[in-house]
Amino acid sequence: MKTHDEIAQALAASGYIADSELATAISLMQLLRRPLLLEGEAGVGKTEVAKALATVHGTELIRLQCYEGLDQSAALYEWNYQRQLLSIQAHRGEDADAVEDQIFSEKYLLERPLLAAIRQSRPPVLLIEAFLLELLSDFQVSIPELGTISAITIPHVVLTSNGTRELSDALRRRCLYHYVDYPDVDREARIIMARINGASASLSLQIARMIEGIRKEELRKVPGVAETLDWAAALVGIGVKDLRESPEAVHETLMCLVKTHEDKSRLTREVADRLLGKVA
């Protein structure tokens, strides 16, 4: 995949409907071999970008979930200390240097996501979620006991952030950047049709318009694309063909969209009816 259109078509074939800016960002990510930082609200489909890329390239998705206190042993590599101890005991009395060379060899090395990502024969997609880290600027790793390990292939690196953590300037400089927003009505309708079997064009458009109205309400947890798909699947599953003809079904299935008691109180029947009245 090289051109904007090729990328958009390939992603669509895998079930991800990308907008023009995202397709361009992925094109440049591949051209420049730079990580792509995706920011956006929870639920807008940032993680799905990496999954779709792995599908398109027919390669492995390697996932690193970051958290406070993440260290080298969890992200990069660690030694299999139990096997090393057993080996030391088994070779007790032998030359100490020889034993040391043996226990600090590949046989005793445990790969973690970052190291695994640069040792694949086929470039994987490396998905790094949340904040990170001094990352792969040279795509090589230094292991004191083994030396420098350079990348066999350059992984497609996707970092995601929902904006709740401050990312360092150093990290941002190493990355291309794209903000993933909620899809517009037409794109969300296309997403529904691509992902939900049995969702007609007219129903998908109605659902997308209803979701657009709900997102404009003052909710604590705005429904993301995942909730849209859940709701669409529920409506199709119970046989709804037209939202305007099935107001009771709409009300009964709003639990797919609202995820807090506060939002449930705000999205009353009156509010839902008002929004439903705007669905053409």
Side-chain angles (χ1 to χ4, degrees):
M1 300 187 302
K2 292 183 179 180
T3 70
H4 167 282
D5 290 339
E6 287 174 342
I7 289 169
Q9 291 170 9
L11 291 175
S14 73
Y16 189 94
I17 308 301
D19 62 19
S20 176
E21 277 193 32
L22 178 58
T24 300
I26 292 172
S27 175
L28 294 176
M29 175 187 76
Q30 296 180 157
L31 174 65
L32 301 175
R33 295 189 174 187
R34 298 284 294 279
L36 175 61
L37 170 60
L38 299 177
E39 277 192 324
E41 298 292 332
V44 295
K46 301 183 296 295
T47 299
E48 292 301 317
V49 173
K51 292 180 179 178
L53 271 178
T55 299
V56 165
H57 286 290
T59 193
E60 184 179 357
L61 175 67
I62 298 177
R63 193 166 182 165
L64 175 61
Q65 178 65 53
C66 297
Y67 51 86
E68 292 289 356
L70 179 71
D71 61 12
Q72 179 173 279
S73 64
L76 191 55
Y77 74 91
E78 66 178 322
W79 294 104
N80 190 328
Y81 299 115
Q82 290 182 327
R83 289 194 64 189
Q84 287 176 322
L85 288 173
L86 289 173
S87 182
I88 291 171
Q89 292 174 353
H91 295 86
R92 190 181 300 277
E94 298 183 14
D95 180 69
D97 290 337
V99 173
E100 183 177 352
D101 288 341
Q102 178 181 340
I103 65 174
F104 287 112
S105 63
E106 285 275 352
K107 181 179 179 180
Y108 297 88
L109 186 67
L110 299 175
E111 288 184 343
R112 298 308 182 208
L114 292 182
L115 182 57
I118 66 171
R119 303 183 85 192
Q120 304 287 315
S121 58
R122 186 181 183 90
V125 174
L126 173 61
L127 171 61
I128 300 173
E129 299 180 285
F131 73 106
L132 201 77
L133 204 75
E134 60 277 22
L135 173 79
L136 294 176
S137 57
D138 298 318
F139 290 98
Q140 65 182 29
V141 169
S142 294
I143 300 178
E145 298 85 358
L146 287 182
T148 299
I149 297 178
S150 297
I152 297 172
T153 56
I154 305 297
H156 308 282
V157 183
V158 178
L159 298 89
T160 65
S161 172
N162 59 14
T164 58
R165 296 181 183 274
E166 185 63 35
L167 301 180
S168 70
D169 290 341
L171 174 61
R172 290 184 182 275
R173 282 197 303 272
R174 288 181 171 90
C175 299
L176 301 176
Y177 178 84
H178 178 67
Y179 186 85
V180 183
D181 207 345
Y182 294 107
D184 60 25
V185 168
D186 289 341
R187 189 158 71 93
E188 192 146 28
R190 290 171 58 205
I191 292 170
I192 294 168
M193 287 188 289
R195 301 293 289 271
I196 304 300
N197 291 331
S200 66
S202 59
L203 178 62
S204 298
L205 191 56
Q206 286 183 337
I207 292 171
R209 286 173 175 161
M210 185 74 175
I211 291 290
E212 181 187 44
I214 290 173
R215 287 183 181 138
K216 292 179 180 178
E217 299 296 314
E218 295 183 0
L219 301 180
R220 178 181 173 189
K221 169 67 175 69
V222 177
V225 177
E227 284 86 3
T228 297
L229 295 175
D230 284 345
W231 193 40
L235 292 169
V236 170
I238 61 177
V240 172
K241 304 293 184 183
D242 188 306
L243 296 188
R244 296 163 302 182
E245 296 176 0
S246 309
E248 285 300 320
V250 170
H251 298 143
E252 290 170 359
T253 55
L254 286 178
M255 66 180 66
C256 296
L257 302 176
V258 293
K259 301 298 177 71
T260 70
H261 179 68
E262 180 182 352
D263 288 347
K264 185 177 180 181
S265 300
R266 288 179 174 175
L267 197 60
T268 62
R269 178 179 289 266
E270 290 73 19
V271 172
D273 285 341
R274 168 171 57 79
L275 296 175
L276 192 56
K278 296 179 180 179
V279 174

